[in-house]
Amino acid sequence: FRVSLGKSTDEVLFDTGDGGFYSLNNENFNRLQPLGVLDIKSRGFGSASWSAGGKEKSSRKYRAMFHELTVDKSTFLHVVTETGNGGHSRIGAGLLKYGIVTLDFPGKKFWYQSYEDGKKDIKEDKWNMQIITGPENTLIIGCVWDSARSLVRGGEQIIAINRKTIGKIDPCDMFTNSHNLGIEGEEVLL
């Protein structure tokens, strides 16, 4: 389905396996950036995600903010997203915080109904690095954004979080129980 991004649009997939709101692929970033519908907030390098196909290849990333993104008839303001190597941009399960999605698979249709009328400002702060599962089920630094380049490097193993030793971790726990690891909030000690 299509989402409106101010003066342009993006063809997206609805990905319930993506807990975020909107993920922009590199190809669409390169198409949309010159149109002035987004602001680049930061640059980074590394790997930021896993999928059924394995770990994403490390690459240059951009964190961008769209002033406006419209899904069906609902408009969201200040949408922060990060670029990735996937073949498609995606709307993730984060959309479900704001409304109900109905899918008609045989008819290939998508409907969205917001819980509340009016525009929704969803600006959010994000960490200056991303933590992913690495070799042998360890936690490692994935993508590192410019503001953290002097502090860490992508691929470095995390051995403790808030002084609690972290050993091997099941990748599913990383996605479903990261709050139990202390990986939440504005700041953690690595």
Side-chain angles (χ1 to χ4, degrees), residues 90-106:
R90 302 179 310 274
I91 292 288
L95 178 66
L96 299 174
K97 293 180 200 172
Y98 305 100
I100 298 168
V101 169
T102 304
L103 301 171
D104 172 5
F105 288 102

Side-chain angles (χ1 to χ4, degrees), residues 71-184:
V71 177
D72 213 347
K73 295 176 182 129
S74 296
T75 299
F76 300 89
L77 305 174
H78 306 114
V79 177
V80 177
T81 186
E82 294 159 3
T83 60
N85 293 324
H88 299 278
S89 295
R90 302 179 310 274
I91 292 288
L95 178 66
L96 299 174
K97 293 180 200 172
Y98 305 100
I100 298 168
V101 169
T102 304
L103 301 171
D104 172 5
F105 288 102
K108 297 182 179 179
K109 298 203 187 232
F110 171 95
W111 292 278
Y112 174 74
Q113 181 180 0
S114 179
Y115 293 134
E116 298 175 9
D117 291 337
K119 296 180 179 184
K120 288 153 248 8
D121 191 335
I122 61 170
K123 184 177 180 184
E124 61 182 343
D125 292 324
K126 298 201 177 225
W127 283 14
N128 56 5
M129 68 186 79
Q130 288 168 297
I131 299 172
I132 61 174
T133 51
E136 300 178 24
N137 294 339
T138 57
L139 289 182
I140 62 170
I141 302 296
C143 183
V144 179
W145 298 96
D146 286 347
S147 61
R149 281 198 344 216
S150 65
L151 304 172
V152 296
R153 289 183 304 144
E156 288 184 326
Q157 182 177 343
I158 298 169
I159 57 172
I161 298 173
N162 292 331
R163 294 186 170 76
K164 178 182 174 191
T165 301
I166 301 294
K168 292 187 180 211
I169 181 167
D170 183 298
C172 292
D173 283 341
M174 176 62 188
F175 294 111
T176 60
N177 296 315
S178 61
H179 60 282
N180 291 332
L181 297 170
I183 306 175
E184 63 180 7

